[in-house]
Amino acid sequence: MSRRRLSFLAACALALACVGLFAGCGKSSNKPGETVREGLSTPLGGLRYTVFLTRQLNLANEEDKGYVPGRQEAPPGKGLYGVFIEACNKGDKEAAAASRFFIEDAQGDKFEPEGLAQDNPFAYHGGPVQPKNCEPAKGSLAQQGPTSGALLLFELPLAATENRPLELHIEGSPNAAGRPEEARVILDI
């Protein structure tokens, strides 16, 4: 092989390695307490939380109606938003999934999720997560569904959706100082 051709092949291989290393692979992990964007996972309390999707629900649509059976549309000036989240335990010990969440807009207004029926197969349920499993559990309807995540339901004033960024706060167990540890996700609304 000619030296020129060999140099060209080496340059191509180096370029492909750089693209794969820096641009094509994405970020594989985040530090505790680091704010992440929707779609990236963040660690908290021995689990990794990922918000797969945030979107306004239309209860006139059959799919969306199935997420919250019996729920009425939001009143005028408000909208129903589903945050589809997963909490995975990659460790060897049982870990507790967070049960306290809120959305905060850029103005500092905070919004709590609505409680969903315990028997709702799409609802997010905090509590124990076995090793090598997730909430929603592997094989569950929520995990197998189109969003792959469990539902947190928020009724937000439409004006709040204009006060971006909207951040989902996930509160974990208290740390040594007695304050809850927290993970934050910027929602893509």
Side-chain angles (χ1 to χ4, degrees), residues 7-183:
S7 296
F8 175 75
L9 289 175
C12 287
L14 181 60
L16 285 174
C18 287
V19 166
L21 190 64
F22 296 110
C25 298
K27 192 170 184 179
S28 62
S29 66
N30 299 293
K31 296 178 183 142
E34 179 181 4
T35 301
V36 299
R37 298 198 70 73
E38 191 171 301
L40 296 176
S41 70
T42 186
L44 179 67
L47 300 169
R48 292 203 66 86
Y49 291 83
T50 306
V51 173
F52 291 117
L53 176 69
T54 302
R55 69 178 180 84
Q56 188 170 11
L57 300 179
N58 174 2
L59 298 186
N61 173 294
E62 288 302 314
E63 177 187 339
D64 289 358
K65 190 187 313 181
Y67 291 130
V68 285
R71 175 65 162 84
Q72 299 298 312
E73 283 286 350
K78 294 188 175 188
L80 292 177
Y81 289 84
V83 176
F84 295 90
I85 189 170
E86 176 185 73
C88 285
N89 183 352
K90 308 275 186 193
D92 296 328
K93 297 178 184 173
E94 184 179 275
S99 58
R100 176 140 165 69
F101 300 86
F102 64 90
I103 290 177
E104 184 174 16
D105 68 13
Q107 304 297 317
D109 296 321
K110 296 178 181 176
F111 308 95
E112 305 277 335
E114 291 189 7
L116 295 173
Q118 197 65 25
D119 63 348
N120 181 330
F122 295 102
Y124 174 90
H125 302 289
V129 178
Q130 297 302 313
K132 312 292 186 231
N133 209 336
C134 299
E135 165 57 29
K138 291 179 182 176
S140 69
L141 189 56
Q143 190 268 331
Q144 299 276 327
T147 63
S148 300
L151 172 66
L152 292 172
L153 182 66
F154 290 86
E155 184 178 282
L156 300 175
L158 296 178
T161 63
E162 297 301 319
N163 295 329
R164 295 185 187 126
L166 297 179
E167 282 189 358
L168 177 70
H169 293 250
I170 307 166
E171 289 189 355
S173 300
N175 59 20
R179 294 180 47 200
E181 296 201 4
E182 186 178 75

